[in-house]
Amino acid sequence: MKADITQTDNQVKVTLEGRLDTMTSSEFEKSLTPYLSMPGIELSIDCSAMGYISSAGLRVILMAHKSVTAKGGHFIIRNLSNEVRSVFDMTGFSRILTIE
C-alpha cells in the first residue's frame, strides 16, 4: 500500500494505492495521525487506485472520520471501485461516511 498525502492550508488530500489491510493499516494510521489533531480540516481520501480493504483498513478509516468530525472538520471518501464500494455497503460504512 502506498499513501500519498498533500496538504494545502486546511485541506489534506490522501491518495491510496494498493491494499489497505492488516499488514498496511498501522502504517497508514501513523501517516494520518499528524493531520487528525488539526481543527476544521477537510480530509479527502482518493481510493481510485486502492484494490482491497480489510476490516483493519476500515477501522483506520472510521477512526480518522471520528477524529476529523469531532474537531469540526469534513471527511470525504472519493472514487471507490465497485469491489471496495461493496465492502463499504456491506459493513454500513456507506451510511456513515460521505462518499463521492
Side-chain angles (χ1 to χ4, degrees), residues 2-97:
K2 178 182 173 191
D4 184 34
I5 302 175
T6 58
Q7 179 183 0
T8 306
D9 299 324
N10 70 331
Q11 293 186 337
V12 178
K13 295 181 181 181
V14 180
T15 303
L16 293 178
E17 183 179 332
R19 297 171 57 93
L20 184 53
D21 57 20
T22 304
M23 301 298 290
T24 60
S25 61
S26 62
E27 177 186 331
F28 178 53
E29 184 175 358
K30 286 178 190 173
S31 67
L32 280 182
T33 299
Y35 305 99
L36 300 180
S37 61
M38 298 169 56
I41 69 164
E42 181 179 307
L43 177 63
S44 66
I45 301 179
D46 183 339
C47 300
S48 57
M50 182 175 70
Y52 175 82
I53 189 165
S54 73
S55 59
L58 289 170
R59 182 193 63 78
V60 175
I61 296 287
L62 184 60
M63 178 274 308
H65 173 263
K66 287 182 176 182
S67 295
V68 168
T69 57
K71 292 177 182 59
H74 298 285
F75 185 89
I76 304 165
I77 299 286
R78 291 192 162 100
N79 304 316
L80 292 176
S81 68
N82 289 336
E83 294 82 15
V84 174
R85 182 177 284 279
S86 69
V87 173
F88 277 71
D89 291 343
M90 285 188 311
T91 58
F93 275 57
S94 297
R95 293 185 304 270
I96 299 168
L97 305 173

